[in-house]
Amino acid sequence: MSVVVQRAAPPALASLPPAQRRRWDRIVRAALEMLEDGEYEQIQVRDVAKRAGVALGTLYRYFASKEHLYAAVMLWWVDSFNRGLQRSTLPEDPGDALKELLRRSIAAFVAKPQFLRVEIVMEGSNDVHARELISEFAGQYAAAYHGALGRLPDEQAAQIEIVIQCVLTKMLHSYALDRVTVERVYEVVLGTVDLVFSPPPRARRASNIGASA
């Protein structure tokens, strides 16, 4: 885990006047573009500031650390993902809708595996500002599940979401570490949806139980 140097608390995004909000957006967009071209570990904050056209000190007035900055990038990214979902309707059947959501989620991370690796870094962050944004990231991602499972009772939908998220996270992390193929990710994750929405499996009967020798 990286050591985070905590600075003065940055202003809340909602409190920024229009000119400062545009500057915040420009910094986050520059950080996102650099991540699209490379890996998180290789990116220097000073290079993000240069690309955004701001002084390094200005960047640190908005973001307490590199982890805080890239938590904002992930929040921006999931917001874009959710807008894409809204442009194309998911199937009405909850199982089919969940499968389609998961296909798109997996495809998004497979297309940009460096974003998946950043999410893993963010999960272990000890920067309080980064953790706040990652909580928002998780909330926005959960909203997509609510849309897919909205026809089910709330408690049931919440339990399904937890199960699927655990499986998805496990498989994506394994993929990021080159332990499984992308085909295996799809197979296990979508197979879990089938298992959740299918009747309980019956135990196989042992053959010749009690048969005489």
Side-chain angles (χ1 to χ4, degrees):
M1 182 183 297
S2 60
V3 176
V4 176
V5 178
Q6 294 288 356
R7 296 174 170 81
L13 182 59
S15 70
L16 296 178
Q20 292 187 27
R21 175 57 196 260
R22 288 193 294 271
R23 190 177 299 125
W24 188 96
D25 288 346
R26 195 163 71 246
I27 293 169
V28 175
R29 188 179 299 111
L32 184 149
E33 291 170 354
M34 293 192 71
L35 184 60
E36 288 180 333
D37 296 334
E39 291 289 342
Y40 174 80
E41 292 79 6
Q42 300 168 349
I43 298 171
Q44 300 295 320
V45 176
R46 66 174 67 90
D47 295 329
V48 176
K50 182 178 180 180
R51 184 160 185 157
V54 302
L56 182 59
T58 299
L59 184 150
Y60 277 121
R61 282 203 296 270
Y62 295 101
F63 301 98
S65 68
K66 179 181 177 182
E67 290 183 359
H68 182 204
L69 170 60
Y70 273 91
V73 168
M74 294 303 296
L75 188 59
W76 187 313
W77 193 57
V78 75
D79 182 64
S80 176
F81 176 80
N82 281 347
R83 289 199 305 271
L85 287 177
Q86 293 169 2
R87 288 194 293 269
S88 55
T89 306
L90 293 173
E92 291 188 4
D93 177 79
D96 292 340
L98 184 56
K99 278 189 171 184
E100 180 60 24
L101 169 63
L102 291 167
R103 288 190 188 97
R104 297 184 195 182
S105 298
I106 295 169
F109 279 119
V110 169
K112 301 288 184 181
Q114 63 270 43
F115 284 78
L116 173 58
R117 288 187 279 272
V118 168
E119 184 184 0
I120 295 172
V121 171
M122 294 301 106
E123 289 174 359
S125 175
N126 61 3
D127 182 320
V128 63
H129 307 294
R131 293 178 70 87
E132 288 174 358
L133 292 186
I134 287 301
S135 292
E136 291 186 40
F137 169 88
Q140 289 203 23
Y141 196 62
Y145 279 88
H146 298 332
L149 301 172
R151 292 175 178 269
L152 299 178
D154 290 343
E155 181 63 26
Q156 192 175 61
Q159 291 175 346
I160 292 173
E161 179 185 337
I162 291 171
V163 170
I164 297 300
Q165 275 280 49
C166 288
V167 175
L168 177 64
T169 299
K170 168 65 176 177
M171 294 307 297
L172 284 177
H173 285 199
S174 295
Y175 171 75
L177 296 172
D178 292 324
R179 293 175 180 169
V180 298
T181 64
V182 64
E183 291 80 13
R184 183 60 174 163
V185 175
Y186 280 106
E187 178 186 359
V188 172
V189 174
L190 300 182
T192 301
V193 177
D194 287 335
L195 186 61
V196 167
F197 283 90
S198 296
R202 294 182 178 179
R204 291 176 296 179
R205 291 186 177 181
S207 59
N208 298 325
I209 294 178
S212 58

